[in-house]
Amino acid sequence: MTADAEGPVPADAERPVTADTEGPVPADAEGATATGPATVLVFSPHADDVVLSSFGALRPGGEAVTVFAGVPDDPALLAPWDERLGARTSREFALERLREDAAAYRGTGVALDAWAHLDGQYRPGPPDTGALRREMRQRIDRAGEVRLPAAIGDHPDHLAVRDTGLAACRELAAAGRPPRVRLYADYPYQLFAMSNRHRAHGTWSTYTWHNEDPLALTEWFAQHFPGGSQEHARPRRHTLSEDTVAAKERAVRCHRTQVPELDRATYGTLLDPANLGREYTWDLPAHLWEPVTAGSPPPGTPVRPGGRDA
């Protein structure tokens, strides 16, 4: 698999996004060292999040951490999301997800680490962010670049990984070792953001599931990180090569317990090659590492339970 190489916006493309084409990493790429590209460390809240959202960042020698990969002890527990997907017990299902995760990364050259923190649907309350912050700080300190979920959709587990990761980065910066930080747009949650924007503006008459509206992501970033400039808010688009899209689809399909329901929720467009082939990130400068609350959700917004939901 090749990696996403960064490049300038084409001169004739007036669009609020920096366009990158996935390809080999040049020897003088930003973040590279004298011995080669710096290690990219990607944090995945759940087993499928990175292969869905940031597959282009996976390159030989890189690292990925699935944070909420713990297996519940109670053999009789059956959490709502697992039950919806046809599980008999959550313990059995969690073990299967570990196997799916390992299969998805096979052949990428990326070292995968599955941490024992429990998915929100298995926890009685919020995660132990103190312990999580210490673990994340130790791992981030060894990396040249860290990627965290943007938490589009405000899923509690995604928010926990993003904000705890940023807290760890602030501690490293205070110690004189600031990392390079990127946020990746959470797929397929970004499809909902894009479709909702077009419906709100009256440009689509119904929900249309196309991963091609970076302006929706620009607006999302400006709302959640109001201290950033317009340039900060514009996402960087990574256009994956045809071969990489095919490899990404194979990796995503390894998560066979999740794909059918996620595809149903996106009206059969989850694995559309055009959707899979566009990934978005933001470079996050240190002054934006403080978590920002965007205010209360609009009246009638459903409260999400812990755990994965679409």
Side-chain angles (χ1 to χ4, degrees), residues 223-240:
Q223 178 188 10
H224 289 80
F225 294 90
S229 67
Q230 285 187 332
E231 189 61 31
H232 293 140
R234 294 170 181 165
R236 182 183 296 271
R237 186 183 67 230
H238 305 271
T239 304
L240 306 187

Side-chain angles (χ1 to χ4, degrees), residues 254-278:
C254 289
H255 295 282
R256 58 184 183 273
T257 61
Q258 309 296 307
V259 166
E261 179 61 20
L262 294 179
D263 193 47
R264 182 205 63 77
T266 54
Y267 294 86
T269 64
L270 183 78
L271 299 176
D272 183 326
N275 285 346
L276 291 181
R278 297 185 186 96

Side-chain angles (χ1 to χ4, degrees), residues 2-213:
T2 53
D4 52 324
E6 297 171 7
V9 181
D12 61 348
E14 293 187 4
R15 59 185 73 175
V17 61
T18 301
D20 290 347
T21 300
E22 192 274 349
V25 180
D28 60 350
E30 182 181 359
T33 67
T35 58
T39 300
V40 177
L41 170 64
V42 191
F43 284 97
S44 187
H46 307 103
D48 53 354
D49 287 311
V50 159
V51 295
L52 281 165
S53 309
S54 194
F55 190 81
L58 303 181
R59 60 195 68 173
E63 299 178 353
V65 173
T66 302
V67 176
F68 296 108
V71 177
D73 292 327
D74 184 355
L77 175 67
L78 182 56
W81 177 253
D82 295 347
E83 183 177 21
R84 181 174 173 177
L85 300 189
R88 293 187 300 177
T89 72
S90 286
R91 179 174 176 80
E92 202 175 272
F93 211 59
L95 290 169
E96 178 61 22
R97 294 206 68 186
L98 287 174
R99 290 188 286 269
E100 292 175 349
D101 206 17
Y105 283 90
R106 196 168 294 134
T108 64
V110 172
L112 173 64
D113 196 1
W115 286 357
H117 297 275
L118 291 176
D119 186 312
Q121 63 178 333
Y122 307 146
R123 299 189 309 261
D128 182 350
T129 53
L132 179 57
R133 188 183 71 253
R134 290 189 292 273
E135 287 180 273
M136 294 183 79
R137 182 180 63 220
Q138 183 179 29
R139 290 299 292 270
I140 292 169
D141 199 21
R142 305 201 307 256
E145 173 184 314
V146 60
R147 295 197 183 196
L148 300 166
I152 296 172
D154 293 334
H155 189 290
D157 290 348
H158 289 232
L159 287 167
V161 173
R162 184 195 72 191
D163 291 344
T164 305
L166 292 179
C169 291
R170 292 197 301 272
E171 292 179 356
L172 288 170
R177 302 189 301 278
R180 182 185 181 196
V181 179
R182 280 186 175 182
L183 300 183
Y184 61 81
D186 316 62
Y187 184 84
Y189 295 102
Q190 68 204 57
L191 294 181
F192 290 87
M194 292 175 182
S195 189
N196 284 335
R197 178 184 178 277
H198 280 269
R199 281 177 56 84
H201 287 260
T203 53
W204 288 346
S205 62
T206 185
Y207 289 106
T208 307
W209 306 97
H210 296 307
N211 188 16
E212 59 185 9
D213 182 17

